[in-house]
Every structure is written in C-alpha cells, then in structure tokens.
C-alpha cells in the first residue's frame, strides 16, 4: 500500500528537530537529510550553523519513524536491503510539503541538504516528474512543493547503482553544490565527476568542492572503519564554510 504525502509527513513529523530563532517570523529554511547510519551529531551541528545565520533548519529522521535504531539502520539501509533512495525520496517530498505548511517557514525559499544516502534520496527526487501515482512511493506525489526549492547541498552523495541519476536526467534544476571526496569508496570520485559533469551539461547549475578526503570525512566518530572512512578536520571546516556561503548566496534578498 502506498502512503499519501500527508500520511508520510505525519509519520515523519514527530521525529523532526527544528532549529532557528524562537519567533513566528516567516524565514527561509534548510531541510537536512542524514546518511544511512542515521542522524549523527554532525548533522545537528550543520543545522545549528543554519540557525546562527538567522534561518530555520529542520533535521528529518527517516529511521526512528520506521522503528529502526542505529544498529537496524546499519544492517538494513547501509547494506542496501531496505529503503533505497527512490523510496526515501518520498520522505524528502513529504517533508518539503509538510514543513511548507508552517507559517514560520518561507515555502518559496528552501534548501535541501543531504549526506550520502540523504544526497541519493534528494537526487532521486530530482529525476521524477511526480505526475502519476507511485512515484517516490507515494500515492499522490506532486511537483508543486518543489517550486520553493532554490538549492541543493550534497555532501559525498551516494550515486552508485541503483541511484537514478545514473540513468535519468533531472526534471528540476535548483542551484546545486556538490561536495565530493576524492577517496570515497562508496562512489568513486571519477564516477561522481562524470555524473555531475553530465548534469551540468544538461543545464543543472552545479558547483563543485572536491576534497582530499574519504566518505564521511565530517563525522568524528569511533564508528569509522580505518582509512575507508576517516575524519578530516580541514575538509570538515571547508565544507562548513562552503555550506554557509551557499546558504547566504541562495537566500540573498529573501
């Protein structure tokens, strides 16, 4: 049975963490989507960075609403057994739709930010027309909520099989910043380079930040596996600076 966009947002809403000024002023917002290992502390740090600029930020947890803790996420999602990017793209669309209803959110000025699996989900959403039932695994998906999405910030996005950007063009073309790791073992840098170069040739306004780092370079955690996923302070700082510059550029004049 397919979810409606309303039912999917109702599932997610209790697990959305909000950051920003404690007022009712309508402000631009950034929606943050975590990697396959769930919401980690660095995602909240990025959200606080948005709030410090005077905007709103929302961290959307896709796993706790489904009853998955960190261990379940690692075994089910990181392994590819459950919740591919295409299915989770429904979470992205539902979160946009639901948060845009809030009077304190400027629905016409939104940025989607995704890390690894979160980037995959955002990118898969960009490939769908959303004009027929079943797309994004939703009964009543619509392109209407995406009209307010002005930017995408994608950090080491997963773009290997079965990510749709390998075989599908994008239906929407918001300003995009891709942060790519040259030692990424989940998506080879050469492949990510090919995908984003192709998207740019098709008219997607893509800018790149290529770093000498591994996958998950901005997560300072003991869960990393040696040289495959190592924290890199310098790359983390460069990403924070790029994130801030991107937000200020996209929301200028808002």
């Amino acid at each position: 049975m397919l979810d409606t966009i309303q039912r999917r947002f109702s599932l997610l809403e209790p697990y959305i963490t909000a950051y920003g000024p404690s007022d009712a002023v309508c402000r631009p917002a950034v929606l943050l989507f975590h990697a396959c290992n769930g919401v980690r502390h660095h995602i909240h740090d990025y959200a606080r960075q948005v709030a410090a600029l005077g905007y709103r930020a929302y961290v959307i947890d896709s796993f706790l609403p489904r009853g998955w803790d960190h261990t379940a996420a690692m075994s089910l999602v990181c392994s590819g057994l459950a919740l591919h990017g295409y299915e989770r793209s429904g979470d992205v669309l539902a979160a946009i739709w639901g948060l845009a209803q809030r009077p304190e959110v400027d629905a016409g000025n939104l940025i989607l930010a995704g890390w690894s699996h979160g980037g995959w989900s955002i990118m898969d959403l960009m490939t769908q027309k959303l004009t027929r039932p079943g797309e994004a695994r939703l009964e009543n998906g619509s392109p209407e909520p995406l009209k307010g999405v002005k930017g995408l910030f994608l950090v080491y996005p997963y773009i290997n099989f079965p990510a749709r950007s390998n075989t599908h063009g994008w239906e929407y073309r918001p300003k995009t910043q891709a942060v790519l790791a040259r030692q990424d073992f989940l998506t080879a840098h050469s492949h990510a380079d090919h995908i984003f170069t192709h998207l740019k040739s098709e008219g997607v306004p893509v800018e790149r930040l290529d770093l000498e780092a591994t996958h998950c370079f901005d997560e300072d955690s003991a869960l990393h596996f040696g040289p495959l996923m190592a924290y890199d302070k310098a790359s983390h700082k460069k990403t924070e600076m790029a994130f801030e510059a991107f937000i200020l550029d996209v929301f200028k004049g808002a």
Side-chain angles (χ1 to χ4, degrees), residues 36-48:
C36 73
N37 59 345
V39 178
R40 314 302 292 169
H41 67 84
H42 67 304
I43 303 298
H44 291 291
D45 289 341
Y46 283 109
R48 294 184 186 98

Side-chain angles (χ1 to χ4, degrees), residues 44-102:
H44 291 291
D45 289 341
Y46 283 109
R48 294 184 186 98
Q49 187 180 357
V50 177
L53 296 174
Y55 302 117
R56 304 199 183 281
Y58 297 91
V59 176
I60 293 92
D61 191 327
S62 284
F63 296 166
L64 288 180
R66 293 174 166 87
W68 298 340
D69 61 11
H70 174 74
T71 301
M74 292 290 289
S75 61
L76 292 173
V77 185
C78 291
S79 67
L81 293 175
L83 201 68
H84 285 184
Y86 181 75
E87 182 178 356
R88 193 178 172 203
S89 69
D91 286 20
V92 179
L93 186 62
I96 300 166
W97 175 87
L99 291 169
Q101 313 300 313
R102 297 184 178 183

Side-chain angles (χ1 to χ4, degrees), residues 117-172:
H117 193 287
W120 173 15
S121 304
I122 292 169
M123 291 176 70
D124 266 24
L125 184 61
M126 294 299 108
T127 69
Q128 301 173 64
K129 292 183 178 180
L130 301 170
T131 55
R132 56 184 176 80
E135 289 185 286
R137 294 290 188 267
L138 294 174
E139 182 180 304
N140 60 340
S142 164
E144 189 66 25
L146 293 176
K147 290 181 178 179
V149 175
K150 304 303 184 186
L152 309 180
F153 192 82
L154 308 169
V155 186
Y156 43 80
Y158 178 83
I159 329 174
N160 265 335
F161 177 82
R164 286 172 57 90
S165 290
N166 289 306
T167 53
H168 295 72
W170 283 14
E171 300 292 332
Y172 316 95

Side-chain angles (χ1 to χ4, degrees), residues 141-240:
S142 164
E144 189 66 25
L146 293 176
K147 290 181 178 179
V149 175
K150 304 303 184 186
L152 309 180
F153 192 82
L154 308 169
V155 186
Y156 43 80
Y158 178 83
I159 329 174
N160 265 335
F161 177 82
R164 286 172 57 90
S165 290
N166 289 306
T167 53
H168 295 72
W170 283 14
E171 300 292 332
Y172 316 95
R173 293 174 169 80
K175 184 178 179 66
T176 300
Q177 172 80 61
V179 180
L180 306 179
R182 294 189 184 276
Q183 283 82 50
D184 196 327
F185 80 105
L186 285 177
T187 299
H189 181 267
S190 59
H191 182 65
D193 172 75
H194 170 74
I195 294 298
F196 282 105
T197 298
H198 179 69
L199 287 171
K200 192 165 187 174
S201 73
E202 291 195 328
V204 179
V206 175
E207 297 297 330
R208 294 254 301 270
L209 175 61
D210 297 83
L211 299 171
E212 295 297 336
T214 68
H215 200 78
C216 287
F217 62 78
D218 55 349
E219 184 183 343
D220 186 7
S221 169
L223 295 173
H224 290 178
F225 302 98
L228 292 179
M229 290 194 287
Y231 178 71
D232 187 270
K233 185 176 181 179
S235 294
H236 188 180
K237 183 64 177 176
K238 289 177 182 177
T239 303
E240 289 178 329

Side-chain angles (χ1 to χ4, degrees), residues 1-50:
M1 177 180 176
L2 296 174
D3 273 343
T4 63
I5 197 170
Q6 296 87 349
R7 192 160 53 232
R8 181 70 64 87
F9 182 68
S10 295
L11 177 75
L12 298 170
E13 189 173 21
Y15 301 92
I16 295 176
T17 306
Y19 292 88
S22 56
D23 56 36
V25 176
C26 182
R27 299 175 186 269
V30 181
L31 282 59
L32 296 88
F33 297 88
H34 58 79
C36 73
N37 59 345
V39 178
R40 314 302 292 169
H41 67 84
H42 67 304
I43 303 298
H44 291 291
D45 289 341
Y46 283 109
R48 294 184 186 98
Q49 187 180 357
V50 177

